Amino acid sequence: EVAPVANRITTIFDLDDKGIVSGLKNIRRDVAQTDGFMNKLKVGAKGLGDTLKQNVAAVSVAAGTAIVAFGVKAAGAFQSTALEAGKFSDAVGISVESASRWMEVAGDLGVDAGVIQSSIQKMNKGIADGKPVFEQFGESVVRAADGTVDADASFRNLVTTIGAIVDPTERAKAAQDAFGKGYAGMAELMQLSAGDLKAALDGVSDSKIIDEGELEKARDARARFDGLKDTFEDFQLAAGELVVSMSPVISAIGDIAS
């Protein structure tokens, strides 16, 4: 299952990922402060060895656990799905769980989830603007006690009610008025009856449903990945500076060898 991976994949980020970078900087400092060729060589070798001992084991265990046990590919799939569901939810005003259900059903039908998102957005605006089509199908628009529109329930009702119109010309006109020109991209969805659509949405497996907690984990993982990338870049710079600072020692070794 993809979603449970979120509970464990962050293991790799719990280690002190700054240790290696700070260790290399300390080595460079110690080498610079040491006099004499042999002393510089000893300080550099000892510092590098200590840094590796202190950090490589932790990195290896954490990375091995995340990659082998849970799978980077599965974690990436979870993170991508969760973040897309979050964007969908924010854009149309429905729960992230509902958004993930729509995304899965869309994929099963070969419909672009972006088309559904856009259609719900146009529906929301049309209702707010009082477009005549929503008066014509007023019973399909669901409102809460405070008068706010339940976008999820309203879209379910409207897409199946309009989809059930027998005359293709009338159906096309009503669909375009309600959902915009992109309605044609969800033709497969509009062919479903209300019962079939409900069954499809309710039938999405738990492992593919994203809740708020899982969305937060995905967002946290994204932030940690970004932080880890920055750390690796710092490591590259620190390693390069270390090599430059030890160039006299390296040159001397080369002279001795030749």
Side-chain angles (χ1 to χ4, degrees):
E1 294 184 354
V2 176
V5 172
N7 298 323
R8 296 163 290 183
I9 195 63
T10 53
T11 300
I12 191 172
F13 301 108
D14 292 334
L15 57 90
D16 180 9
D17 55 9
K18 304 297 183 184
I20 295 178
V21 174
S22 61
L24 287 173
K25 290 181 178 179
N26 290 337
I27 295 170
R28 189 177 72 251
R29 180 201 62 206
D30 293 341
V31 168
Q33 294 175 352
T34 302
D35 296 324
F37 165 72
M38 290 306 296
N39 288 335
K40 285 182 180 288
L41 187 60
K42 289 178 181 179
V43 168
K46 182 179 183 303
L48 185 58
D50 290 344
T51 297
L52 291 175
K53 285 179 184 178
Q54 293 168 8
N55 294 281
V56 170
V59 173
S60 297
V61 170
T65 300
I67 294 171
V68 177
F70 314 129
V72 169
K73 189 173 182 179
F78 162 77
Q79 183 184 11
S80 177
T81 299
L83 293 175
E84 286 303 313
K87 292 177 183 177
F88 192 129
S89 169
D90 292 340
V92 304
I94 63 176
S95 70
V96 66
E97 177 178 329
S98 294
S100 63
R101 288 180 184 276
W102 279 112
M103 288 167 58
E104 180 61 22
V105 170
D108 290 342
L109 294 174
V111 175
D112 185 344
V115 172
I116 295 179
Q117 177 181 316
S118 176
S119 295
I120 298 177
Q121 288 176 297
K122 287 183 170 62
M123 177 198 75
N124 286 340
K125 186 176 186 306
I127 293 174
D129 292 344
K131 289 186 70 173
V133 67
F134 298 108
E135 295 179 8
Q136 179 182 353
F137 299 100
E139 293 183 0
S140 296
V141 177
V142 180
R143 296 181 182 273
D146 61 359
T148 57
V149 175
D150 182 332
D152 184 25
S154 296
F155 184 69
R156 291 192 192 201
N157 290 344
L158 285 163
V159 78
T160 52
T161 298
I162 293 175
I165 296 174
V166 176
D167 186 283
T169 302
E170 291 182 11
R171 183 172 63 247
K173 182 179 184 306
Q176 182 167 325
D177 287 347
F179 310 123
K181 294 180 180 179
Y183 80 91
M186 56 179 189
E188 292 291 328
L189 180 66
M190 296 185 68
Q191 290 178 10
L192 297 179
S193 67
D196 289 342
L197 178 57
K198 183 178 185 304
L201 291 166
D202 291 348
V204 175
S205 66
D206 290 342
S207 65
K208 295 179 180 180
I209 296 173
I210 306 297
D211 59 29
E212 287 292 342
E214 288 165 336
L215 174 59
E216 287 308 309
K217 289 174 183 175
R219 286 171 173 165
D220 181 61
R222 176 178 59 186
R224 287 172 180 264
F225 270 118
D226 290 343
L228 188 61
K229 177 176 176 292
D230 291 340
T231 297
F232 281 141
E233 290 173 352
D234 289 345
F235 171 80
Q236 288 178 314
L237 291 173
E241 291 173 2
L242 174 61
V243 171
V244 171
S245 69
M246 294 188 68
S247 59
V249 177
I250 297 172
S251 295
I253 293 174
D255 292 341
I256 294 172
S258 60

